[in-house]
Amino acid sequence: MFLDCSFVLPAAARATYAGVSVADLDGDGEFEFFVASRGAANRILKYQHGKFFDTAPPVVADARRDTLGAVAGDFDGDGREELYLLNGEPFSDRLFDCQPDGRWADLFDQPRYRQARNAHASQSAAVLDRRGRGRYSFLVASADHPLRLFELSSANTICDLAPALDLHHAQAGSGLVIGPISSDRPDIFCVNEGGPNLLYRNTGVGTFLEVAARHGLRDSAERSRGAMVLDANGDGRLDVCFGNRDGPHRLFVRESNCKFRNVATPAMALPSEVQNVVAADFDNDGFEELLFLNCGESNRLFRRSANPDGYWQLADPGTLDSWGLSSGGAAVADIDGDGRLELLVSNGDSGELPLQLFKWPEVGNAWLRVMPMTRFGAPARGAVVRLIAAGRTQIRAICSGSGYRCQMEPVAHFGLGRCDEVEQIQVTWPDDTTAVIDRPATNRTLVVLYPGS
């Protein structure tokens, strides 16, 4: 069960918090948490000497705006991730690029880019390397407005390519996830609060086909919020889990005919005021846990049994059972480098509330973390990592965006249980380039460079 480690967070950190993301925001090779805030300063939480410190520069903190979330990705191919901030109306979104002198500049403030910015209330975002070239586009879903896909052109202009790629369907997108869901390339799954869900299949040439109905993922009668991809049944393929506001939650597993079948247990499907869904191996036993974070009611934790049918069981969340708070944004990362994941939860949908940090107690399980890099040296979000050990294959997609207004660390975190030997690591980049590492050492972070970079 989770332990509350919030004592390491900054004191008096109460605000109306929203989304949470993880990236190396100061370029020192270590990850920080970015926490969006509505009507108060955004925070960049850096871990040093056993505590977190707020290091957000004034231009990023920007207490004047309502910031709802953020995602990071290498937009310009300079080897460092840019930061896209989702803002509520009447404010437009912001796209921050860290300059060589360390200053953060909003690209949308520059005259040549200003016309492209999104001025609608943003709901969620993700980054997408649609052609596998190591440069990322920002995919943005807004309330009752078309999807937008911001990309930097060869002429150094920011273009919205969603209309040209037929991605501009008007929906209330409340969750975007990227991964090989329908194809072997980065597909786009968009869950919606105001209409059926959308699944855009990657054709392999930078274009997409909408196939949610074909795969049985539309769920048209529900108000979806928050989504995550994971291997829910241990067959080595990515499945889809998402919550529905006041409706039954879903766990869709991919079958041999490429159709998806809902296998959510009654306890998992039980309706709730869901805000976010998180999947990660917090106890390092080799099986991911599933979290449903709710607003004003108990959060729910599910663990998968090791038996062949992979039955999901409701488990004790420990101190994460935050009844009375409004769990909203959440992100996971191994911030302190000890091989166990931290979970930062933002509370704030019902007023000014504190941040909370949770962690599973040490139980002696082994682990391995894999961080693929692009040809430019930035995190390869959207890459897929497979680990073979003890007769099993585990699979992770490097997070491009997940849940609702959130983004996890760009690392594939694998628990190994009592197994301390890994047979093989397979890394597949968005362009289908593959690297194989045999017999890697465990209990460390393995950085995998793009072949030939």
Side-chain angles (χ1 to χ4, degrees):
M1 66 179 69
F2 286 99
L3 302 176
D4 190 339
C5 301
S6 304
F7 58 87
V8 300
L9 296 172
R14 300 175 71 94
T16 306
Y17 293 114
V20 183
S21 59
V22 182
D24 177 10
L25 296 172
D26 58 8
D28 69 346
E30 304 292 337
F31 295 131
E32 292 82 42
F33 285 113
F34 177 89
V35 185
S37 181
R38 291 175 293 178
N42 302 319
R43 294 177 178 270
I44 295 177
L45 299 182
K46 186 171 187 62
Y47 185 79
Q48 291 180 321
H49 310 300
K51 294 278 188 179
F52 284 90
F53 300 89
D54 186 1
T55 62
V59 67
V60 176
D62 194 7
R64 301 169 301 162
R65 301 177 188 239
D66 284 341
T67 306
L68 304 178
V71 292
D74 188 1
F75 185 62
D76 55 10
D78 67 351
R80 184 163 176 180
E81 294 192 306
E82 281 67 50
L83 185 66
Y84 190 102
L85 299 192
L86 305 170
N87 284 311
E89 292 179 334
F91 304 105
S92 60
D93 292 349
R94 310 190 77 180
L95 176 53
F96 282 107
D97 181 29
C98 190
Q99 305 300 296
D101 61 3
R103 294 183 302 108
W104 287 87
D106 180 7
L107 296 183
F108 287 143
D109 269 349
Q110 298 181 18
R112 58 179 170 171
Y113 300 141
R114 193 170 295 159
Q115 190 174 2
R117 61 187 174 187
N118 182 40
H120 305 301
S122 301
Q123 289 273 84
S124 54
V127 295
L128 172 68
D129 182 2
R130 66 182 180 89
R131 293 182 294 180
R133 297 184 178 181
R135 294 173 183 258
Y136 288 83
S137 309
F138 288 98
L139 182 66
V140 181
S142 301
D144 301 318
H145 288 278
L147 288 169
R148 306 192 72 176
L149 183 68
F150 296 108
E151 191 166 299
L152 190 65
S153 74
S154 57
N156 200 31
T157 60
I158 296 178
C159 307
D160 176 15
L161 295 183
L165 296 173
D166 200 27
L167 297 174
H168 61 298
H169 300 82
Q171 302 287 342
S174 55
L176 289 165
V177 289
I178 310 293
I181 300 168
S182 172
S183 72
D184 294 327
R185 301 282 185 124
D187 304 316
I188 303 167
F189 185 56
C190 177
V191 297
N192 293 291
E193 288 189 280
N197 300 324
L198 303 168
L199 174 61
Y200 294 100
R201 186 179 191 273
N202 193 320
T203 64
V205 293
T207 60
F208 298 85
L209 296 173
E210 206 289 302
V211 295
R214 184 187 310 173
H215 291 293
L217 291 172
R218 286 173 69 83
D219 214 21
S220 302
E222 304 297 338
R223 299 168 53 219
S224 303
R225 175 171 287 188
M228 178 65 68
V229 291
L230 74 159
D231 181 4
N233 57 358
D235 67 353
R237 296 179 295 187
L238 289 176
D239 308 307
V240 177
C241 181
F242 58 91
N244 285 316
R245 297 278 283 181
D246 297 318
H249 307 319
R250 309 297 194 191
L251 179 59
F252 280 103
V253 298
R254 185 176 178 179
E255 304 200 296
S256 57
N257 60 1
C258 291
K259 287 276 190 179
F260 284 79
R261 176 172 57 93
N262 181 31
V263 298
T265 64
M268 186 181 291
L270 184 68
S272 65
E273 285 288 323
V274 67
Q275 288 287 87
N276 255 300
V277 180
V278 175
D281 188 357
F282 291 101
D283 59 3
N284 284 341
D285 69 346
F287 298 90
E288 290 181 281
E289 286 77 52
L290 264 174
L291 277 170
F292 288 82
L293 297 170
N294 297 310
C295 181
E297 56 185 290
S298 290
N299 300 318
R300 274 184 263 166
L301 171 68
F302 294 90
R303 303 183 70 187
R304 189 164 76 89
S305 61
N307 59 329
D309 63 7
Y311 181 76
W312 287 88
Q313 298 172 315
L314 185 65
D316 180 5
T319 55
L320 186 60
D321 184 8
S322 301
W323 182 272
L325 293 179
S326 298
S327 298
V332 297
D334 181 15
I335 290 290
D336 60 8
D338 69 351
R340 286 180 294 143
L341 293 172
E342 285 80 33
L343 169 71
L344 185 68
V345 177
S346 67
N347 299 291
D349 263 23
S350 59
E352 293 188 356
L353 293 167
L355 296 168
Q356 292 178 292
L357 187 76
F358 298 95
K359 193 165 186 170
W360 207 270
E362 174 61 66
V363 292
N365 288 331
W367 51 275
L368 179 63
R369 293 165 54 77
V370 182
M371 184 174 176
M373 310 301 286
T374 69
R375 67 190 69 194
F376 302 113
R381 296 187 186 267
V384 174
V385 184
R386 291 175 173 86
L387 176 146
I388 303 171
R392 293 179 56 228
T393 297
Q394 297 188 53
I395 181 172
R396 304 283 189 271
I398 303 299
C399 185
S400 298
S402 64
Y404 176 52
R405 303 169 175 170
C406 296
Q407 187 184 45
M408 311 299 158
E409 64 173 354
V411 179
H413 179 95
F414 296 98
L416 300 172
R418 299 301 175 180
C419 173
D420 58 3
E421 292 187 3
V422 172
E423 297 170 31
Q424 192 175 84
I425 291 290
Q426 303 169 359
V427 179
T428 304
W429 280 264
D431 65 351
D432 211 28
T433 296
T434 300
V436 175
I437 299 95
D438 292 319
R439 303 289 179 184
T442 60
N443 295 335
R444 66 173 178 137
T445 297
L446 177 65
V447 176
V448 182
L449 303 181
Y450 184 86
S453 63

